[in-house]
Every structure is written in structure tokens, then in C-alpha cells.
Amino acid sequence: MIATQIELFDTKSRQLQPLQSSDGKKLRIYSCGPTVYRDAHVGNMRTFLLGDLIIRLAKYLGNEVEFIQNITDVGHMSEDFVEDKMLAQAKAESKDPFEIARIYEGRFHNDLKSLNITAADLYPKASECIQLMHDLIKKLIDTDHAYVGSDNCVYFAAQSFAGYGAISGNRLDALKPGHRFEYTEDGAKRFHADWALWKAAAGRTEMIWESPWGAGFPGWHIECSAMSLHYLNQFVDLHLGGIDLRFPHHENERAQSNAAINSEAVALWVHGEHLLFEGRKMAKSTGNVILVSDLIAKHLDPLSLRLCFLENRYRSQMDLSWESLKAAHLLLQRWREKTALWRLAKGSDTKQAESFIDEIVTDLTADLDTPRALQKLRSIEKAQTLSDGVKFKIFESVDALLGLDLLKSPAVKGELPENLKKLFELRTAARIAGDFAESDRLRDLLLENGVSVKDSKNGQSWDYLL
Ligand code: AMP
Ligand code: ZN
């Protein structure tokens, strides 16, 4: 029997919960998006893939989905500095901060496409939602959840929200004073854990807006409350993000949103665990950042990254390495070669295929057990009791959920770049002439350039070194 209900681990209740549409019409999903002052790294992509997997599955099971993901292009301060990340990067590249934002936003969309991550229905930009944020802040001030501090910044009054801490387990009285970027001057806010909703411009001259409280710019957390409530009609069935956003970002967002609508604004909070690279969390500050373009430069299919992610459950930390990417690249190739052959088989036992497909769908509904689903595909690939037609049907259907392009023609290598083609031809000539020292030298030279050559009775062939 196929399971038709998706269950996900909810960070707030700390247990599996069903994903349900609260209005009986569609699932309303919100995911925190990228801060567009630099290229998103593949760790960010792991978190963005989470939404795609859930949405593919929900649609497969017949749900209608509305999915919103924000673009943070203002207000995300670095933790140790009073400078906005966008402004700092604009200075470093001698460009206008909005130009920086649009460049990296475009690249973010390209990366999503390379990984077959389905686009959201809307990508609202923080800089274009300032009025929405003002409206929300006004409402919070009117209901005594927010106040203007002596530094002209508007603060959320943390103690005014009784349920603070439910997501992260942090208690207000045990919290240390907020990060420096949450306030401007000591003593300007009433309580140490209050955070800024609107920051006064002070000396800042770029990326500032007029507001009822003077010129300034939004705090980071308010944009997600304003956008999720506005674009999803005042309730979110599922809120997604990376685990590092659990606190303070999501805790503060929950306080703001719940205070604004005077009830629980989000049904499920689901967080993706971090991606490590060769043992350490992938982060710009750690210096171990890998981009989708780095994979492409190494002739790896970007979907090999997607396959690596699927080999691990979204809520366990995973360690990526070039070795695992190469193995995934080869597995993808093998599966595509096999589906191309299986496709030629005539007829198949549809019932038999469907029972395997249902089993895999059921694994995915159980908190996205993608490793188990892949294990099943591996056994199906090898099963001698299953016909090629059945195997094709299973791989074809499951690919709609996993997004690995398993039906794509096996990779054609294409032509070698001109300079390497020349070396390859010279080596053919050297072999014909019996000059094996020269042939070896050219083989080593090609190897240094990432191309391996193989000799056989039919001559030499080449492949990219992975
Ligand atoms: P940012 O652009 O830094 O705001 O991050 C965008 C998303 O990526 C957020 O949901 C983060 O939680 C998530 N994220 C950041 N680093 C990692 C990582 N190493 N692994 C998985 N997700 C991450
Ligand atoms: Zn957010």
C-alpha cells in the first residue's frame, strides 16, 4: 500500500508530523533563501534541495503547492561587524550594492537549474518588500510587541511574546545579550534579548529607506515574517531552512509572526542539517567552499552532487568529498546507460512495477528516506527476477521524484579542446611510427591536463579524469 501522507521531523515539537494543507486547497510552503552578496555554495544547495524534494513528492501525491522563497538583498549584517554583507561586497567589487545583488541572484537561479531544483512560485526580494515590513512593524508597535528605542531603532520586545524559545529551546532569561548587529547602542533597548526590526541609518548612506521612524533599513528577521504572511495568506504549512537558522532567525521570526496574527503562524518547522566538506562545515569563513561551477569545471555532472545529497538523509550531517562526487558521477552514467537499454524492452508487468514504485514513494513519505530509496534502486538494477521493461518503468517513475535525469542519454564526451586534440593526434602518429618514448611522454602530458588515454587493438581512446 502506498502511503499518501508525508511525515516530516518538526523541529518545534521534536517529532514527526504530517504535512497538511490547512486551508484544504494547497500546501503553503516558505523557505529562507540566499543572501545574494556572493555565490551560493553547495552547502546552501543542500538546503535548497530539501524544498524541491518535498514539493516533488507532494505534487506526485496529488497536492497543489504554493512555494515562496525570499531573496535577502538588504539587512543581513555580518555577526562580528556592523557592516551589511551586501555593502561590504559592493565595496570590495567597486559596484553598486543592487548590481551585486542582481548578479548573484542570477547565478543562484542558474545553480538551481543545474541541480534540477524546481523554481519557487515567487522569489520576493527584501529590497522590494520594505512597505510590507513597515506595515508589520507598525502592527507590532500598535499591539505593544515592539517599541522605538532611544537610538531610533525599532525593537521587538522579546518578553511580550510568551512562547519564545519553543523552536530552539533557548530561554529568554538565560540568553546572553543579542548579537552586536541586533542593536546600535548599549542601553537603547529595554531588554537584553530584544532585537531590531528597523535600524536607524545612523551614518549609513546606501540601501536605506524612509520610514515612519526615520531613514533606515530592516533587521534581518522581519523580512521573512512579512513575506511569508503576506504571500501565503497569513499561514505557513511548512517553513524550511538550514539548521543554523533555527536560532535566532526562526525563533525571532516565529515571535514576530505569531504576535502579528495572534496565533501560531507556522505549522511545521523543518531544518536541513549541514553539509561538511572533507570533515568541516562548508562555509565561507572556514574557507572550504565548493561551488556548482567547480564541479562543472572538473567535468562532473552537477547532478552527481544531487545524487550525493540523496545518499544521506536531509537531517543528518553529511560529509562530501571529491571521491564521493566521482562515484556518484559514475553511478549516474551507469544508470543512464542501463535505462537506455531497458527502454528498448517491449511491454512490462505494470502491476509489478507499481508495487516497487509505491514502496519507494512510501520510503520518501517517511521523513524523506532517500538513502533507502536509492538502496532499493540499486537492488532493482541488479535483480535477475525483474524484466528490463519493469526496471525501466520503475526508474522512469522514481526519477520524477528524485530529479536525477535518469532517462537522459548517457553522456557524450564531445570533442577534446583543440590543444589537447593536437596532443592526442601526435600520440597516434608516434604510436604508428613505433616511437613509444614520445607516445609515453604525450600520454603523461595529456594526463597532466586531466585526460586519460587507453590503448587497445583498435587504437587509443580518451576520457576525462574524474
Ligand atoms: P545564506 O545565503 O548564508 O543566508 O544561506 C542560505 C541557506 O543555506 C540557509 O538556509 C542556511 O541555513 C543554509 N546553509 C548555510 N551553510 C550550509 C551548509 N554548510 N550546509 C547546509 N546548509 C547550509
Ligand atoms: Zn528567513
Side-chain angles (χ1 to χ4, degrees):
M1 263 281 285
I2 183 172
T4 50
Q5 177 80 75
I6 304 174
E7 295 211 313
L8 296 168
F9 187 83
D10 169 43
T11 311
K12 183 162 79 66
S13 61
R14 291 155 182 74
Q15 56 189 20
L16 289 179
Q17 297 281 3
L19 172 62
Q20 284 164 333
S21 155
S22 47
D23 66 4
K25 289 187 206 133
K26 56 187 174 189
L27 283 169
R28 290 178 275 179
I29 304 182
Y30 184 89
S31 173
C32 292
T35 310
V36 285
Y37 68 101
R38 49 125 173 90
D39 280 312
H41 55 66
V42 301
N44 304 130
M45 291 296 147
R46 185 183 187 204
T47 294
F48 302 144
L49 175 66
L50 178 57
D52 178 49
L53 289 173
I54 296 170
I55 289 164
R56 281 173 185 260
L57 183 61
K59 288 186 175 166
Y60 183 92
L61 295 171
N63 296 279
E64 212 182 299
V65 175
E66 172 115 40
F67 178 42
I68 306 292
Q69 183 165 39
N70 68 308
I71 301 286
T72 300
D73 59 358
V74 62
H76 196 159
M77 312 297 284
S78 49
E79 304 226 354
D80 51 350
F81 202 54
V82 196
E83 194 165 22
D84 192 303
K85 288 180 175 182
M86 298 290 320
L87 293 180
Q89 190 61 26
K91 213 191 276 170
E93 291 192 33
S94 307
K95 291 200 168 86
D96 177 79
F98 285 109
E99 194 185 341
I100 292 286
R102 299 298 79 91
I103 291 172
Y104 289 108
E105 191 186 346
R107 295 209 213 173
F108 158 72
H109 289 299
N110 287 341
D111 287 344
L112 294 188
K113 273 197 208 107
S114 305
L115 295 178
N116 271 352
I117 296 177
T118 323
D121 294 291
L122 194 72
Y123 290 100
K125 303 180 195 19
S127 63
E128 292 174 1
C129 294
I130 301 292
Q131 187 58 48
L132 281 182
M133 296 187 229
H134 286 173
D135 294 346
L136 185 58
I137 296 170
K138 269 186 236 158
K139 195 166 182 181
L140 293 172
I141 294 175
D142 289 348
T143 49
D144 291 332
H145 286 295
Y147 61 91
V148 182
S150 59
D151 55 358
N152 292 326
C153 296
V154 184
Y155 292 101
F156 187 91
Q159 288 160 306
S160 75
F161 177 66
Y164 193 87
I167 299 179
S168 61
N170 285 320
R171 287 197 348 263
L172 272 183
D173 51 3
L175 273 183
K176 300 226 160 53
H179 296 278
R180 261 181 70 198
F181 62 86
E182 302 285 14
Y183 62 103
T184 308
E185 288 166 26
D186 286 328
K189 52 184 182 174
R190 295 177 191 159
F191 180 66
H192 66 270
D194 295 350
W195 63 90
L197 302 174
W198 186 258
K199 294 198 63 167
R204 181 162 153 168
T205 53
E206 285 177 292
M207 286 189 142
I208 52 171
W209 289 263
E210 279 309 321
S211 85
W213 318 283
F217 56 99
W220 170 34
H221 318 301
I222 194 69
E223 75 176 88
C224 288
S225 285
M227 295 179 188
S228 61
L229 290 176
H230 177 76
Y231 289 107
L232 292 174
N233 196 18
Q234 309 296 307
F235 193 78
V236 182
D237 295 317
L238 171 63
H239 195 307
L240 298 164
I243 194 73
D244 55 316
L245 299 188
R246 189 175 39 174
F247 183 84
H249 185 54
H250 289 164
E251 198 67 77
N252 293 0
E253 183 187 330
R254 175 172 175 265
Q256 295 160 175
S257 300
N258 286 16
I261 65 167
N262 206 18
S263 66
E264 200 69 50
V266 173
L268 300 187
W269 290 93
V270 172
H271 291 101
E273 252 298 347
H274 275 143
L275 176 75
L276 315 183
F277 190 76
E278 294 173 340
R280 288 176 313 147
K281 182 193 161 190
M282 183 170 291
K284 202 172 178 209
S285 53
T286 321
N288 63 345
V289 159
I290 305 282
L291 309 179
V292 174
S293 55
D294 294 329
L295 267 74
I296 297 171
K298 284 185 183 281
H299 308 290
L300 286 165
D301 187 321
L303 294 181
S304 56
L305 176 67
R306 187 170 171 120
L307 179 53
C308 283
F309 290 160
L310 296 176
E311 299 274 17
N312 296 268
R313 226 204 195 128
Y314 75 92
R315 64 186 172 92
S316 58
Q317 272 194 356
M318 72 167 274
D319 198 5
L320 187 72
S321 65
W322 288 115
E323 284 318 304
S324 54
L325 283 164
K326 287 175 198 171
H329 178 92
L330 295 175
L331 178 58
L332 268 187
Q333 284 292 106
R334 189 176 86 211
W335 277 353
R336 287 176 187 158
E337 279 160 18
K338 294 229 167 138
T339 51
L341 283 177
W342 295 336
R343 184 199 280 275
L344 304 174
K346 295 263 175 311
S348 71
D349 179 344
T350 312
K351 271 234 153 63
Q352 192 184 26
E354 274 169 7
S355 80
F356 282 100
I357 297 164
D358 289 355
E359 259 189 50
I360 292 175
V361 171
T362 304
D363 292 335
L364 296 177
T365 57
D367 202 23
L368 296 183
D369 198 344
T370 51
R372 202 179 159 95
L374 289 178
Q375 242 171 36
K376 291 218 170 113
L377 286 184
R378 282 189 169 91
S379 326
I380 291 163
E381 176 196 1
K382 300 210 172 76
Q384 293 183 349
T385 48
L386 295 178
S387 70
D388 285 357
V390 166
K391 290 182 183 180
F392 179 74
K393 181 101 199 62
I394 299 170
F395 272 62
E396 180 187 38
S397 300
V398 171
D399 195 35
L401 296 165
L402 302 184
L404 294 170
D405 282 356
L406 296 178
L407 305 193
K408 192 170 144 183
S409 333
V412 213
K413 276 183 295 189
E415 291 256 307
L416 274 175
E418 261 330 295
N419 57 336
L420 301 182
K421 200 165 147 195
K422 186 89 202 136
L423 294 180
F424 190 75
E425 286 164 2
L426 284 173
R427 187 167 184 270
T428 310
R431 277 165 53 82
I432 292 169
D435 186 349
F436 295 108
E438 177 62 356
S439 146
D440 285 354
R441 188 186 74 81
L442 290 164
R443 186 198 52 210
D444 293 346
L445 208 52
L446 282 159
L447 210 57
E448 278 169 30
N449 284 282
V451 174
S452 71
V453 281
K454 247 195 234 148
D455 298 317
S456 73
K457 341 191 250 314
N458 302 326
Q460 52 169 359
S461 61
W462 64 271
D463 221 328
Y464 284 119
L465 265 188
L466 292 180

